[in-house]
Amino acid sequence: MIDLETTGLDPSINEIISFATVSVSGGRVSLADARYELVLPRRMPDADTVRIHGLREVDLADAPPLRDLLDGLLESLTGRAVVAHVAAVERSFLGAAFAEHRLRFRNPIVDTAALALELGRRRRHPTLRTPPIGLSHVAQGLGLPVHRPHHADGDALTTAQAFIALATLLDAVKPQTLGSLEGIRFRAGLRTRIRRRLRKLRD
């Protein structure tokens, strides 16, 4: 599982300022190799995004730049499927960060937001059938705890627990594989609406 906090939503101009990874093994969350890092951006986050993730210039001033953390991030991701909530955000920022260092982000990626909507469609789940599909909303709809919303470490842990629950429930409806879970993605129109909702968080 991975969660990023960024200075905005456009990977061509915005940057990663924190990330966290948590692994799942045997259907359980493992914290043995969990990783959480603050990242020094080239340009500090503005007041709009600070209101979301709470990371101020003073919090990031002594953090290393992403290039110094890339080996650790690669170690956490290599050989693993990546799970994220509204994964288009993580996909685009990781792709841009890796490309800057002549690397390619090729991991299979599973989107817990898409899984939640698919579960709502298949099982007529009353709280997961339509957006909003925020991570806290999904976790609460599944009866799961919400850990430190809009902090990378808390959101990565919440995503991990949500993934286990969603994959288990979807598998009960129809047997699932990594490939089938990866194939459950947002339709283009839905992705556009989600991005609009994310942008409104800054207003």
Side-chain angles (χ1 to χ4, degrees), residues 186-199:
F186 285 129
R187 298 181 299 277
L190 179 56
R191 185 181 296 114
T192 299
R193 293 199 300 274
I194 290 166
R195 290 191 176 187
R196 286 174 182 165
R197 290 181 66 87
L198 288 171
R199 289 192 181 97

Side-chain angles (χ1 to χ4, degrees), residues 139-187:
Q140 290 165 354
L142 294 167
L144 298 171
V146 177
H147 306 278
R148 282 170 46 90
H150 300 297
H151 292 264
D153 55 352
D155 283 348
L157 180 55
T158 303
T159 299
Q161 294 177 324
F163 168 73
I164 293 170
L166 290 165
T168 300
L169 291 168
L170 285 167
D171 190 69
V173 176
K174 180 180 179 181
Q176 299 293 320
T177 64
L178 173 60
S180 66
L181 292 173
E182 183 186 10
I184 299 173
R185 298 181 179 179
F186 285 129
R187 298 181 299 277

Side-chain angles (χ1 to χ4, degrees), residues 36-189:
Y36 172 65
E37 300 285 356
L38 296 176
V39 182
L40 178 68
R42 289 181 287 265
R43 181 178 177 181
M44 288 294 179
D46 59 27
D48 288 339
T49 56
V50 170
R51 283 198 292 270
I52 298 171
H53 49 61
L55 293 174
R56 305 160 298 169
E57 182 171 350
V58 66
D59 301 314
L60 302 171
D62 295 327
L66 186 60
R67 65 176 178 272
D68 293 349
L69 298 168
L70 204 57
D71 285 347
L73 179 57
L74 286 169
E75 181 182 347
S76 296
L77 299 182
T78 298
R80 295 177 174 176
V82 172
V83 179
H85 194 77
V86 189
V89 176
E90 274 72 14
R91 185 194 298 275
S92 60
F93 274 90
L94 289 172
F98 283 17
E100 190 172 331
H101 297 276
R102 298 184 179 181
L103 300 169
R104 296 184 69 180
F105 177 63
R106 295 180 172 178
N107 300 60
I109 189 161
V110 177
D111 191 334
T112 50
L115 298 188
L117 289 175
E118 181 69 6
L119 178 66
R121 182 184 70 80
R122 291 188 181 189
R123 297 192 63 173
R124 301 185 181 276
H125 194 295
T127 59
L128 300 178
R129 294 185 67 180
T130 57
I133 43 75
L135 180 57
S136 295
H137 175 81
V138 169
Q140 290 165 354
L142 294 167
L144 298 171
V146 177
H147 306 278
R148 282 170 46 90
H150 300 297
H151 292 264
D153 55 352
D155 283 348
L157 180 55
T158 303
T159 299
Q161 294 177 324
F163 168 73
I164 293 170
L166 290 165
T168 300
L169 291 168
L170 285 167
D171 190 69
V173 176
K174 180 180 179 181
Q176 299 293 320
T177 64
L178 173 60
S180 66
L181 292 173
E182 183 186 10
I184 299 173
R185 298 181 179 179
F186 285 129
R187 298 181 299 277

